Amino acid sequence: EKGNTDYYLTTQDVRSNRDGRPELMAPFMNLFRDDDDSFPLRPKLMGNLIPQNINLWIGNSESPEGASSGLHHDYHDNLYIVLKGKKKFRLFDPSEAENMYTRGELLKVHPNGRINYTGEETTAYGADLKSDEAAKASRRKISAEKMLEAAEREVEQGVEGAEDRLELAERAMDEALDAILDAEEDEDDEGEADSDLQSKGGKEVQFDGEDCHSRTVVDKTVKNPNNFSKVEHNLLDNPEEIKRQYPKMSNAKAAFAVVNEGECLYLPASWFHEVTSFGSDHAGHIALNYWFHPPDAEDNFENPYS
């Protein structure tokens, strides 16, 4: 008797590198890379956007209605490339977030569309607020060092007003160092919390061929994440039921796009989408996608981040 032949490989868990940061893709994805740049880590058309993650999506559905991803949004800009089969996207602008009935409690929508939820606030380009403050403090220190060096030279040269500028530079250096210390204390507190979480179930994986180096599995897929809508996908084409159960969604305006084999779709961060996948001649469907940290600098292709 024939069993169920529907399946879908979605986002893959990735491991941390030696610095504790997430790898760009799951280990098996490296098997597809070669030396001729046919699988670049950042396609040229994406300019200077910084990659966050690369995933392979493989599935099969014998249903004529296809297989639905469910309505959700991602936190990063998405270049979605269909390698086999066909994908139909139902799309909603991030400004419709209030009408999407997300599982998480909405906190804010950044000007570039990046959505934050209560307890998960980030910068517009996706950085943790504490990490962002640490980076700002480091830049302040560099600026203060340059001011201090210039003021000291002027004092040696006897330039008028140099003593006042030296005093200002020293004050700026003190403030920058204080900011760095504050940021380091916050990171220490966060590190202790991470250690507690790992002791309560963090998973470490030993790489083949590596001695004494285990790496934690990070960016794991979680159940019922904040960025998914509570609206079941089978209701999306039922306006009467939507109006009864989720009345605010009735006000949302959807757009649709069909992406065929060999085509790609660029989807900015936090655009809500439901993806319906259709196989090709009973051979399933395959897609590759790149996620990039969302740019927050307006109209600047060369320097997309502030």
PDB file of all heavy atoms in Angstrom, residues 30-66:
ATOM      1  N   ASN A  30      27.676  22.965   2.291  1.00  0.00           N
ATOM      2  CA  ASN A  30      29.015  23.168   1.741  1.00  0.00           C
ATOM      3  C   ASN A  30      29.373  22.130   0.680  1.00  0.00           C
ATOM      4  O   ASN A  30      30.284  22.343  -0.123  1.00  0.00           O
ATOM      5  CB  ASN A  30      30.061  23.139   2.863  1.00  0.00           C
ATOM      6  CG  ASN A  30      30.023  24.397   3.713  1.00  0.00           C
ATOM      7  OD1 ASN A  30      30.222  25.497   3.211  1.00  0.00           O
ATOM      8  ND2 ASN A  30      29.754  24.235   5.003  1.00  0.00           N
ATOM      9  N   LEU A  31      28.658  21.007   0.671  1.00  0.00           N
ATOM     10  CA  LEU A  31      28.914  19.974  -0.335  1.00  0.00           C
ATOM     11  C   LEU A  31      28.555  20.450  -1.734  1.00  0.00           C
ATOM     12  O   LEU A  31      29.049  19.923  -2.726  1.00  0.00           O
ATOM     13  CB  LEU A  31      28.106  18.710  -0.006  1.00  0.00           C
ATOM     14  CG  LEU A  31      28.402  18.039   1.342  1.00  0.00           C
ATOM     15  CD1 LEU A  31      27.446  16.875   1.568  1.00  0.00           C
ATOM     16  CD2 LEU A  31      29.846  17.554   1.386  1.00  0.00           C
ATOM     17  N   PHE A  32      27.696  21.477  -1.829  1.00  0.00           N
ATOM     18  CA  PHE A  32      27.267  21.973  -3.135  1.00  0.00           C
ATOM     19  C   PHE A  32      28.210  23.045  -3.686  1.00  0.00           C
ATOM     20  O   PHE A  32      28.060  23.484  -4.816  1.00  0.00           O
ATOM     21  CB  PHE A  32      25.856  22.559  -3.042  1.00  0.00           C
ATOM     22  CG  PHE A  32      24.830  21.566  -2.591  1.00  0.00           C
ATOM     23  CD1 PHE A  32      24.217  21.693  -1.353  1.00  0.00           C
ATOM     24  CD2 PHE A  32      24.482  20.498  -3.394  1.00  0.00           C
ATOM     25  CE1 PHE A  32      23.272  20.771  -0.927  1.00  0.00           C
ATOM     26  CE2 PHE A  32      23.534  19.574  -2.971  1.00  0.00           C
ATOM     27  CZ  PHE A  32      22.926  19.711  -1.740  1.00  0.00           C
ATOM     28  N   ARG A  33      29.145  23.490  -2.860  1.00  0.00           N
ATOM     29  CA  ARG A  33      30.049  24.548  -3.295  1.00  0.00           C
ATOM     30  C   ARG A  33      31.256  23.959  -4.007  1.00  0.00           C
ATOM     31  O   ARG A  33      31.741  22.885  -3.687  1.00  0.00           O
ATOM     32  CB  ARG A  33      30.506  25.402  -2.116  1.00  0.00           C
ATOM     33  CG  ARG A  33      29.347  26.054  -1.362  1.00  0.00           C
ATOM     34  CD  ARG A  33      29.815  27.235  -0.554  1.00  0.00           C
ATOM     35  NE  ARG A  33      30.216  28.326  -1.423  1.00  0.00           N
ATOM     36  CZ  ARG A  33      31.327  29.040  -1.284  1.00  0.00           C
ATOM     37  NH1 ARG A  33      32.163  28.763  -0.308  1.00  0.00           N
ATOM     38  NH2 ARG A  33      31.619  30.010  -2.115  1.00  0.00           N
ATOM     39  N   ASP A  34      31.741  24.667  -5.023  1.00  0.00           N
ATOM     40  CA  ASP A  34      32.943  24.248  -5.740  1.00  0.00           C
ATOM     41  C   ASP A  34      33.821  25.473  -5.976  1.00  0.00           C
ATOM     42  O   ASP A  34      33.600  26.526  -5.399  1.00  0.00           O
ATOM     43  CB  ASP A  34      32.586  23.545  -7.063  1.00  0.00           C
ATOM     44  CG  ASP A  34      31.561  24.348  -7.866  1.00  0.00           C
ATOM     45  OD1 ASP A  34      31.643  25.600  -7.843  1.00  0.00           O
ATOM     46  OD2 ASP A  34      30.696  23.749  -8.516  1.00  0.00           O
ATOM     47  N   ASP A  35      34.783  25.349  -6.844  1.00  0.00           N
ATOM     48  CA  ASP A  35      35.755  26.424  -7.032  1.00  0.00           C
ATOM     49  C   ASP A  35      35.412  27.371  -8.179  1.00  0.00           C
ATOM     50  O   ASP A  35      36.184  28.292  -8.457  1.00  0.00           O
ATOM     51  CB  ASP A  35      37.150  25.827  -7.287  1.00  0.00           C
ATOM     52  CG  ASP A  35      37.653  25.022  -6.091  1.00  0.00           C
ATOM     53  OD1 ASP A  35      37.304  25.402  -4.958  1.00  0.00           O
ATOM     54  OD2 ASP A  35      38.380  24.042  -6.307  1.00  0.00           O
ATOM     55  N   ASP A  36      34.303  27.162  -8.855  1.00  0.00           N
ATOM     56  CA  ASP A  36      34.020  28.012 -10.017  1.00  0.00           C
ATOM     57  C   ASP A  36      33.003  29.115  -9.720  1.00  0.00           C
ATOM     58  O   ASP A  36      32.500  29.771 -10.627  1.00  0.00           O
ATOM     59  CB  ASP A  36      33.518  27.164 -11.189  1.00  0.00           C
ATOM     60  CG  ASP A  36      32.193  26.460 -10.892  1.00  0.00           C
ATOM     61  OD1 ASP A  36      31.662  26.647  -9.764  1.00  0.00           O
ATOM     62  OD2 ASP A  36      31.700  25.735 -11.766  1.00  0.00           O
ATOM     63  N   ASP A  37      32.693  29.321  -8.433  1.00  0.00           N
ATOM     64  CA  ASP A  37      31.782  30.391  -8.001  1.00  0.00           C
ATOM     65  C   ASP A  37      30.374  30.245  -8.561  1.00  0.00           C
ATOM     66  O   ASP A  37      29.643  31.226  -8.677  1.00  0.00           O
ATOM     67  CB  ASP A  37      32.335  31.772  -8.400  1.00  0.00           C
ATOM     68  CG  ASP A  37      33.590  32.120  -7.628  1.00  0.00           C
ATOM     69  OD1 ASP A  37      33.698  31.668  -6.471  1.00  0.00           O
ATOM     70  OD2 ASP A  37      34.452  32.834  -8.171  1.00  0.00           O
ATOM     71  N   SER A  38      29.976  29.013  -8.935  1.00  0.00           N
ATOM     72  CA  SER A  38      28.607  28.822  -9.421  1.00  0.00           C
ATOM     73  C   SER A  38      27.602  28.892  -8.282  1.00  0.00           C
ATOM     74  O   SER A  38      26.406  29.037  -8.512  1.00  0.00           O
ATOM     75  CB  SER A  38      28.483  27.473 -10.145  1.00  0.00           C
ATOM     76  OG  SER A  38      28.816  26.402  -9.266  1.00  0.00           O
ATOM     77  N   PHE A  39      28.086  28.774  -7.059  1.00  0.00           N
ATOM     78  CA  PHE A  39      27.239  28.913  -5.880  1.00  0.00           C
ATOM     79  C   PHE A  39      27.900  29.960  -4.980  1.00  0.00           C
ATOM     80  O   PHE A  39      28.554  29.634  -3.994  1.00  0.00           O
ATOM     81  CB  PHE A  39      27.101  27.565  -5.176  1.00  0.00           C
ATOM     82  CG  PHE A  39      26.278  27.588  -3.907  1.00  0.00           C
ATOM     83  CD1 PHE A  39      25.491  28.682  -3.562  1.00  0.00           C
ATOM     84  CD2 PHE A  39      26.287  26.505  -3.052  1.00  0.00           C
ATOM     85  CE1 PHE A  39      24.750  28.699  -2.399  1.00  0.00           C
ATOM     86  CE2 PHE A  39      25.552  26.497  -1.877  1.00  0.00           C
ATOM     87  CZ  PHE A  39      24.786  27.606  -1.549  1.00  0.00           C
ATOM     88  N   PRO A  40      27.734  31.233  -5.299  1.00  0.00           N
ATOM     89  CA  PRO A  40      28.399  32.287  -4.515  1.00  0.00           C
ATOM     90  C   PRO A  40      27.737  32.473  -3.152  1.00  0.00           C
ATOM     91  O   PRO A  40      26.545  32.245  -2.997  1.00  0.00           O
ATOM     92  CB  PRO A  40      28.216  33.529  -5.390  1.00  0.00           C
ATOM     93  CG  PRO A  40      26.929  33.271  -6.111  1.00  0.00           C
ATOM     94  CD  PRO A  40      26.921  31.786  -6.393  1.00  0.00           C
ATOM     95  N   LEU A  41      28.521  32.908  -2.193  1.00  0.00           N
ATOM     96  CA  LEU A  41      27.955  33.210  -0.883  1.00  0.00           C
ATOM     97  C   LEU A  41      27.163  34.508  -0.909  1.00  0.00           C
ATOM     98  O   LEU A  41      26.293  34.725  -0.051  1.00  0.00           O
ATOM     99  CB  LEU A  41      29.074  33.302   0.162  1.00  0.00           C
ATOM    100  CG  LEU A  41      29.839  32.008   0.419  1.00  0.00           C
ATOM    101  CD1 LEU A  41      30.897  32.226   1.492  1.00  0.00           C
ATOM    102  CD2 LEU A  41      28.889  30.885   0.835  1.00  0.00           C
ATOM    103  N   ARG A  42      27.447  35.365  -1.882  1.00  0.00           N
ATOM    104  CA  ARG A  42      26.659  36.575  -2.077  1.00  0.00           C
ATOM    105  C   ARG A  42      26.601  36.872  -3.573  1.00  0.00           C
ATOM    106  O   ARG A  42      27.591  37.299  -4.160  1.00  0.00           O
ATOM    107  CB  ARG A  42      27.256  37.778  -1.339  1.00  0.00           C
ATOM    108  CG  ARG A  42      26.472  39.071  -1.591  1.00  0.00           C
ATOM    109  CD  ARG A  42      26.947  40.217  -0.719  1.00  0.00           C
ATOM    110  NE  ARG A  42      28.355  40.509  -0.906  1.00  0.00           N
ATOM    111  CZ  ARG A  42      29.041  41.353  -0.128  1.00  0.00           C
ATOM    112  NH1 ARG A  42      28.452  41.963   0.882  1.00  0.00           N
ATOM    113  NH2 ARG A  42      30.319  41.575  -0.354  1.00  0.00           N
ATOM    114  N   PRO A  43      25.439  36.645  -4.216  1.00  0.00           N
ATOM    115  CA  PRO A  43      25.317  36.954  -5.643  1.00  0.00           C
ATOM    116  C   PRO A  43      25.626  38.422  -5.916  1.00  0.00           C
ATOM    117  O   PRO A  43      25.311  39.301  -5.115  1.00  0.00           O
ATOM    118  CB  PRO A  43      23.837  36.641  -5.929  1.00  0.00           C
ATOM    119  CG  PRO A  43      23.448  35.665  -4.870  1.00  0.00           C
ATOM    120  CD  PRO A  43      24.215  36.072  -3.659  1.00  0.00           C
ATOM    121  N   LYS A  44      26.249  38.710  -7.053  1.00  0.00           N
ATOM    122  CA  LYS A  44      26.682  40.066  -7.386  1.00  0.00           C
ATOM    123  C   LYS A  44      25.527  41.059  -7.396  1.00  0.00           C
ATOM    124  O   LYS A  44      25.691  42.225  -7.041  1.00  0.00           O
ATOM    125  CB  LYS A  44      27.388  40.066  -8.731  1.00  0.00           C
ATOM    126  CG  LYS A  44      28.742  39.372  -8.714  1.00  0.00           C
ATOM    127  CD  LYS A  44      29.421  39.444 -10.070  1.00  0.00           C
ATOM    128  CE  LYS A  44      30.785  38.754 -10.042  1.00  0.00           C
ATOM    129  NZ  LYS A  44      31.455  38.808 -11.366  1.00  0.00           N
ATOM    130  N   LEU A  45      24.343  40.598  -7.804  1.00  0.00           N
ATOM    131  CA  LEU A  45      23.214  41.529  -7.915  1.00  0.00           C
ATOM    132  C   LEU A  45      22.763  42.040  -6.547  1.00  0.00           C
ATOM    133  O   LEU A  45      22.017  43.017  -6.459  1.00  0.00           O
ATOM    134  CB  LEU A  45      22.036  40.883  -8.651  1.00  0.00           C
ATOM    135  CG  LEU A  45      21.315  39.685  -8.027  1.00  0.00           C
ATOM    136  CD1 LEU A  45      20.183  40.143  -7.125  1.00  0.00           C
ATOM    137  CD2 LEU A  45      20.772  38.766  -9.108  1.00  0.00           C
ATOM    138  N   MET A  46      23.236  41.427  -5.450  1.00  0.00           N
ATOM    139  CA  MET A  46      22.841  41.867  -4.115  1.00  0.00           C
ATOM    140  C   MET A  46      23.769  42.948  -3.569  1.00  0.00           C
ATOM    141  O   MET A  46      23.612  43.378  -2.421  1.00  0.00           O
ATOM    142  CB  MET A  46      22.797  40.679  -3.151  1.00  0.00           C
ATOM    143  CG  MET A  46      21.849  39.570  -3.595  1.00  0.00           C
ATOM    144  SD  MET A  46      20.216  40.179  -4.065  1.00  0.00           S
ATOM    145  CE  MET A  46      19.605  40.762  -2.499  1.00  0.00           C
ATOM    146  N   GLY A  47      24.729  43.391  -4.376  1.00  0.00           N
ATOM    147  CA  GLY A  47      25.567  44.512  -3.969  1.00  0.00           C
ATOM    148  C   GLY A  47      26.321  44.230  -2.693  1.00  0.00           C
ATOM    149  O   GLY A  47      26.969  43.187  -2.539  1.00  0.00           O
ATOM    150  N   ASN A  48      26.224  45.149  -1.733  1.00  0.00           N
ATOM    151  CA  ASN A  48      26.974  45.040  -0.481  1.00  0.00           C
ATOM    152  C   ASN A  48      26.118  44.587   0.692  1.00  0.00           C
ATOM    153  O   ASN A  48      26.499  44.788   1.850  1.00  0.00           O
ATOM    154  CB  ASN A  48      27.637  46.382  -0.155  1.00  0.00           C
ATOM    155  CG  ASN A  48      28.736  46.731  -1.143  1.00  0.00           C
ATOM    156  OD1 ASN A  48      29.452  45.853  -1.611  1.00  0.00           O
ATOM    157  ND2 ASN A  48      28.855  48.004  -1.484  1.00  0.00           N
ATOM    158  N   LEU A  49      24.961  43.994   0.423  1.00  0.00           N
ATOM    159  CA  LEU A  49      24.172  43.430   1.508  1.00  0.00           C
ATOM    160  C   LEU A  49      24.946  42.298   2.173  1.00  0.00           C
ATOM    161  O   LEU A  49      25.651  41.536   1.508  1.00  0.00           O
ATOM    162  CB  LEU A  49      22.829  42.906   0.996  1.00  0.00           C
ATOM    163  CG  LEU A  49      21.829  43.940   0.471  1.00  0.00           C
ATOM    164  CD1 LEU A  49      20.525  43.253   0.074  1.00  0.00           C
ATOM    165  CD2 LEU A  49      21.547  45.012   1.518  1.00  0.00           C
ATOM    166  N   ILE A  50      24.813  42.185   3.480  1.00  0.00           N
ATOM    167  CA  ILE A  50      25.568  41.187   4.242  1.00  0.00           C
ATOM    168  C   ILE A  50      24.720  39.929   4.426  1.00  0.00           C
ATOM    169  O   ILE A  50      23.632  39.986   5.002  1.00  0.00           O
ATOM    170  CB  ILE A  50      25.974  41.749   5.616  1.00  0.00           C
ATOM    171  CG1 ILE A  50      26.884  42.972   5.422  1.00  0.00           C
ATOM    172  CG2 ILE A  50      26.685  40.688   6.447  1.00  0.00           C
ATOM    173  CD1 ILE A  50      27.230  43.674   6.715  1.00  0.00           C
ATOM    174  N   PRO A  51      25.188  38.766   3.941  1.00  0.00           N
ATOM    175  CA  PRO A  51      24.420  37.525   4.087  1.00  0.00           C
ATOM    176  C   PRO A  51      24.248  37.138   5.552  1.00  0.00           C
ATOM    177  O   PRO A  51      25.157  37.323   6.367  1.00  0.00           O
ATOM    178  CB  PRO A  51      25.270  36.487   3.339  1.00  0.00           C
ATOM    179  CG  PRO A  51      26.168  37.279   2.457  1.00  0.00           C
ATOM    180  CD  PRO A  51      26.442  38.555   3.193  1.00  0.00           C
ATOM    181  N   GLN A  52      23.069  36.606   5.865  1.00  0.00           N
ATOM    182  CA  GLN A  52      22.799  36.120   7.217  1.00  0.00           C
ATOM    183  C   GLN A  52      22.668  34.604   7.245  1.00  0.00           C
ATOM    184  O   GLN A  52      23.083  33.953   8.190  1.00  0.00           O
ATOM    185  CB  GLN A  52      21.522  36.773   7.762  1.00  0.00           C
ATOM    186  CG  GLN A  52      21.213  36.461   9.216  1.00  0.00           C
ATOM    187  CD  GLN A  52      20.308  35.238   9.397  1.00  0.00           C
ATOM    188  OE1 GLN A  52      19.639  34.808   8.458  1.00  0.00           O
ATOM    189  NE2 GLN A  52      20.279  34.687  10.597  1.00  0.00           N
ATOM    190  N   ASN A  53      22.079  34.033   6.182  1.00  0.00           N
ATOM    191  CA  ASN A  53      21.826  32.598   6.172  1.00  0.00           C
ATOM    192  C   ASN A  53      21.492  32.162   4.746  1.00  0.00           C
ATOM    193  O   ASN A  53      20.944  32.937   3.960  1.00  0.00           O
ATOM    194  CB  ASN A  53      20.666  32.274   7.110  1.00  0.00           C
ATOM    195  CG  ASN A  53      20.545  30.788   7.419  1.00  0.00           C
ATOM    196  OD1 ASN A  53      19.463  30.240   7.381  1.00  0.00           O
ATOM    197  ND2 ASN A  53      21.646  30.131   7.717  1.00  0.00           N
ATOM    198  N   ILE A  54      21.832  30.919   4.422  1.00  0.00           N
ATOM    199  CA  ILE A  54      21.497  30.329   3.121  1.00  0.00           C
ATOM    200  C   ILE A  54      20.818  28.999   3.386  1.00  0.00           C
ATOM    201  O   ILE A  54      21.305  28.185   4.181  1.00  0.00           O
ATOM    202  CB  ILE A  54      22.750  30.127   2.252  1.00  0.00           C
ATOM    203  CG1 ILE A  54      23.513  31.449   2.072  1.00  0.00           C
ATOM    204  CG2 ILE A  54      22.377  29.553   0.889  1.00  0.00           C
ATOM    205  CD1 ILE A  54      24.856  31.291   1.368  1.00  0.00           C
ATOM    206  N   ASN A  55      19.683  28.765   2.716  1.00  0.00           N
ATOM    207  CA  ASN A  55      18.901  27.551   2.961  1.00  0.00           C
ATOM    208  C   ASN A  55      18.504  26.865   1.661  1.00  0.00           C
ATOM    209  O   ASN A  55      18.356  27.510   0.618  1.00  0.00           O
ATOM    210  CB  ASN A  55      17.618  27.880   3.730  1.00  0.00           C
ATOM    211  CG  ASN A  55      17.857  27.994   5.226  1.00  0.00           C
ATOM    212  OD1 ASN A  55      18.036  26.998   5.911  1.00  0.00           O
ATOM    213  ND2 ASN A  55      17.875  29.216   5.720  1.00  0.00           N
ATOM    214  N   LEU A  56      18.295  25.570   1.758  1.00  0.00           N
ATOM    215  CA  LEU A  56      17.762  24.777   0.655  1.00  0.00           C
ATOM    216  C   LEU A  56      16.381  24.286   1.057  1.00  0.00           C
ATOM    217  O   LEU A  56      16.173  23.835   2.182  1.00  0.00           O
ATOM    218  CB  LEU A  56      18.684  23.591   0.372  1.00  0.00           C
ATOM    219  CG  LEU A  56      18.409  22.795  -0.905  1.00  0.00           C
ATOM    220  CD1 LEU A  56      18.672  23.652  -2.132  1.00  0.00           C
ATOM    221  CD2 LEU A  56      19.296  21.537  -0.936  1.00  0.00           C
ATOM    222  N   TRP A  57      15.430  24.391   0.120  1.00  0.00           N
ATOM    223  CA  TRP A  57      14.051  23.978   0.384  1.00  0.00           C
ATOM    224  C   TRP A  57      13.686  22.887  -0.620  1.00  0.00           C
ATOM    225  O   TRP A  57      13.693  23.113  -1.826  1.00  0.00           O
ATOM    226  CB  TRP A  57      13.100  25.165   0.222  1.00  0.00           C
ATOM    227  CG  TRP A  57      13.515  26.385   0.993  1.00  0.00           C
ATOM    228  CD1 TRP A  57      14.512  27.259   0.670  1.00  0.00           C
ATOM    229  CD2 TRP A  57      12.954  26.862   2.215  1.00  0.00           C
ATOM    230  NE1 TRP A  57      14.614  28.244   1.614  1.00  0.00           N
ATOM    231  CE2 TRP A  57      13.666  28.026   2.578  1.00  0.00           C
ATOM    232  CE3 TRP A  57      11.920  26.423   3.043  1.00  0.00           C
ATOM    233  CZ2 TRP A  57      13.376  28.754   3.725  1.00  0.00           C
ATOM    234  CZ3 TRP A  57      11.635  27.149   4.180  1.00  0.00           C
ATOM    235  CH2 TRP A  57      12.354  28.301   4.516  1.00  0.00           C
ATOM    236  N   ILE A  58      13.379  21.697  -0.122  1.00  0.00           N
ATOM    237  CA  ILE A  58      13.045  20.562  -0.989  1.00  0.00           C
ATOM    238  C   ILE A  58      11.735  19.956  -0.512  1.00  0.00           C
ATOM    239  O   ILE A  58      11.567  19.691   0.673  1.00  0.00           O
ATOM    240  CB  ILE A  58      14.141  19.489  -0.964  1.00  0.00           C
ATOM    241  CG1 ILE A  58      15.502  20.086  -1.377  1.00  0.00           C
ATOM    242  CG2 ILE A  58      13.789  18.330  -1.890  1.00  0.00           C
ATOM    243  CD1 ILE A  58      16.652  19.106  -1.270  1.00  0.00           C
ATOM    244  N   GLY A  59      10.807  19.741  -1.432  1.00  0.00           N
ATOM    245  CA  GLY A  59       9.535  19.158  -1.022  1.00  0.00           C
ATOM    246  C   GLY A  59       8.828  18.442  -2.149  1.00  0.00           C
ATOM    247  O   GLY A  59       9.247  18.476  -3.314  1.00  0.00           O
ATOM    248  N   ASN A  60       7.738  17.813  -1.778  1.00  0.00           N
ATOM    249  CA  ASN A  60       6.893  17.129  -2.760  1.00  0.00           C
ATOM    250  C   ASN A  60       5.461  17.150  -2.259  1.00  0.00           C
ATOM    251  O   ASN A  60       5.210  16.955  -1.066  1.00  0.00           O
ATOM    252  CB  ASN A  60       7.338  15.677  -2.952  1.00  0.00           C
ATOM    253  CG  ASN A  60       6.517  14.978  -4.009  1.00  0.00           C
ATOM    254  OD1 ASN A  60       6.574  15.335  -5.169  1.00  0.00           O
ATOM    255  ND2 ASN A  60       5.738  13.966  -3.614  1.00  0.00           N
ATOM    256  N   SER A  61       4.540  17.445  -3.142  1.00  0.00           N
ATOM    257  CA  SER A  61       3.120  17.408  -2.802  1.00  0.00           C
ATOM    258  C   SER A  61       2.341  16.957  -4.024  1.00  0.00           C
ATOM    259  O   SER A  61       2.470  17.536  -5.099  1.00  0.00           O
ATOM    260  CB  SER A  61       2.632  18.799  -2.364  1.00  0.00           C
ATOM    261  OG  SER A  61       1.233  18.774  -2.141  1.00  0.00           O
ATOM    262  N   GLU A  62       1.563  15.907  -3.839  1.00  0.00           N
ATOM    263  CA  GLU A  62       0.762  15.399  -4.949  1.00  0.00           C
ATOM    264  C   GLU A  62      -0.601  16.052  -5.010  1.00  0.00           C
ATOM    265  O   GLU A  62      -1.390  15.789  -5.907  1.00  0.00           O
ATOM    266  CB  GLU A  62       0.626  13.884  -4.830  1.00  0.00           C
ATOM    267  CG  GLU A  62       1.965  13.157  -4.947  1.00  0.00           C
ATOM    268  CD  GLU A  62       1.809  11.660  -5.037  1.00  0.00           C
ATOM    269  OE1 GLU A  62       0.669  11.176  -4.854  1.00  0.00           O
ATOM    270  OE2 GLU A  62       2.820  10.975  -5.290  1.00  0.00           O
ATOM    271  N   SER A  63      -0.879  16.937  -4.044  1.00  0.00           N
ATOM    272  CA  SER A  63      -2.152  17.638  -4.044  1.00  0.00           C
ATOM    273  C   SER A  63      -2.157  18.723  -5.120  1.00  0.00           C
ATOM    274  O   SER A  63      -1.179  19.467  -5.258  1.00  0.00           O
ATOM    275  CB  SER A  63      -2.406  18.274  -2.676  1.00  0.00           C
ATOM    276  OG  SER A  63      -3.496  19.177  -2.738  1.00  0.00           O
ATOM    277  N   PRO A  64      -3.243  18.855  -5.894  1.00  0.00           N
ATOM    278  CA  PRO A  64      -3.313  19.928  -6.897  1.00  0.00           C
ATOM    279  C   PRO A  64      -3.321  21.316  -6.271  1.00  0.00           C
ATOM    280  O   PRO A  64      -3.028  22.301  -6.936  1.00  0.00           O
ATOM    281  CB  PRO A  64      -4.635  19.640  -7.624  1.00  0.00           C
ATOM    282  CG  PRO A  64      -5.432  18.812  -6.664  1.00  0.00           C
ATOM    283  CD  PRO A  64      -4.442  18.006  -5.904  1.00  0.00           C
ATOM    284  N   GLU A  65      -3.655  21.386  -4.970  1.00  0.00           N
ATOM    285  CA  GLU A  65      -3.630  22.669  -4.267  1.00  0.00           C
ATOM    286  C   GLU A  65      -2.223  23.055  -3.822  1.00  0.00           C
ATOM    287  O   GLU A  65      -2.000  24.167  -3.349  1.00  0.00           O
ATOM    288  CB  GLU A  65      -4.546  22.633  -3.030  1.00  0.00           C
ATOM    289  CG  GLU A  65      -6.027  22.632  -3.351  1.00  0.00           C
ATOM    290  CD  GLU A  65      -6.525  21.237  -3.732  1.00  0.00           C
ATOM    291  OE1 GLU A  65      -5.876  20.252  -3.291  1.00  0.00           O
ATOM    292  OE2 GLU A  65      -7.512  21.137  -4.470  1.00  0.00           O
ATOM    293  N   GLY A  66      -1.253  22.139  -3.956  1.00  0.00           N
ATOM    294  CA  GLY A  66       0.107  22.416  -3.547  1.00  0.00           C
ATOM    295  C   GLY A  66       0.278  22.323  -2.037  1.00  0.00           C
ATOM    296  O   GLY A  66      -0.634  21.943  -1.303  1.00  0.00           O
TER     297      GLY A  66
END
